[in-house]
Amino acid sequence: MSSTAQQQVDLVVRTIAQAAVDNEKYFGDLDAVVGDGDFGYSLARGFENVLDGWDDVDRTDIGTFLKKIGMVITARIGGTSGPIWGTAFMRAGMTAGATDSLTGDQVVAMLRAAVEGIKARGQSDVGDKTLLDVLVPVTDRLEAELTAGTDATHVLAALAETAREAADATADMVAKRGRASYTGERSRGSVDAGAMGVAVIIGRINEAWQTEGAS
């Protein structure tokens, strides 16, 4: 992997991991409203393992790196979050393949693959009040901004904005998957923890990119 590509991919993945650890209580509190409250704890424990073994992750190429991250997550995150988040990383890694650089189109393809993996693993879709309700519109926005020729710094700012709006919109939905689905109409009025988790993480990636990625 070229040094530039490695630094950029490392920055994004490390920021995701650190955001998951830093927001353990916040994500758990969101999940506790209508769920079992373990989302923040599970995510934090899994990504702690990613950070603990950070220097030892195989960086032969981008695909291998992301697949290895996915394997750690799947093995260490409990509940349904492990398989879902692990599948997302592994599908993205499989799509990236043995490459040492990434184009915007490749990143979109990786996110689309992650989305399809999450749908299959979680038996869910857009509108079910899950992280897909943020990840899909964010991917759509990314594709649109890249088509328009927007530079990376402004693209990430746009994605952070779209992610937050989409996460807030889940408050009007009724949960159809996970523990929250058992509460029926009572799940309306609160945001989905997974969706807000993705929004917070994308916001952190945007902040990190403004200070580190652009350089």
Side-chain angles (χ1 to χ4, degrees), residues 127-141:
D128 288 345
K129 194 166 184 170
T130 71
L131 76 168
L132 289 171
D133 291 301
V134 170
L135 195 54
V136 171
V138 162
T139 304
D140 291 342
R141 180 71 182 270

Side-chain angles (χ1 to χ4, degrees), residues 70-90:
M71 290 171 65
V72 172
I73 293 169
T74 301
R76 304 303 301 179
I77 297 182
T80 59
S81 295
I84 287 174
W85 284 72
T87 294
F89 274 92
M90 286 191 279

Side-chain angles (χ1 to χ4, degrees), residues 2 7 9 16 19 21 34 39 63 116 134-135 141-142 149 156 160 166 173 185 214-215:
S2 67
Q7 289 168 0
V9 174
I16 291 171
V21 172
V34 292
F39 173 64
E116 291 307 312
V134 170
L135 195 54
R141 180 71 182 270
L142 172 60
L156 280 165
M173 300 177 180
E185 278 292 330
S215 63

Side-chain angles (χ1 to χ4, degrees), residues 4 7-8 11-12 152-153 156 205-215:
T4 300
Q7 289 168 0
Q8 291 174 340
L11 173 63
V12 170
T153 300
L156 280 165
I205 292 172
N206 175 45
E207 292 171 3
W209 194 272
Q210 308 307 321
T211 57
E212 300 177 57
S215 63

Side-chain angles (χ1 to χ4, degrees), residues 88-103:
F89 274 92
M90 286 191 279
R91 289 291 186 92
M94 291 168 62
T95 302
T99 183
D100 62 0
S101 62
L102 292 174
T103 65

Side-chain angles (χ1 to χ4, degrees), residues 42-54:
S42 297
L43 209 63
R45 297 294 78 75
F47 278 108
E48 273 182 348
N49 279 85
V50 169
L51 293 173
D52 288 344
W54 185 252

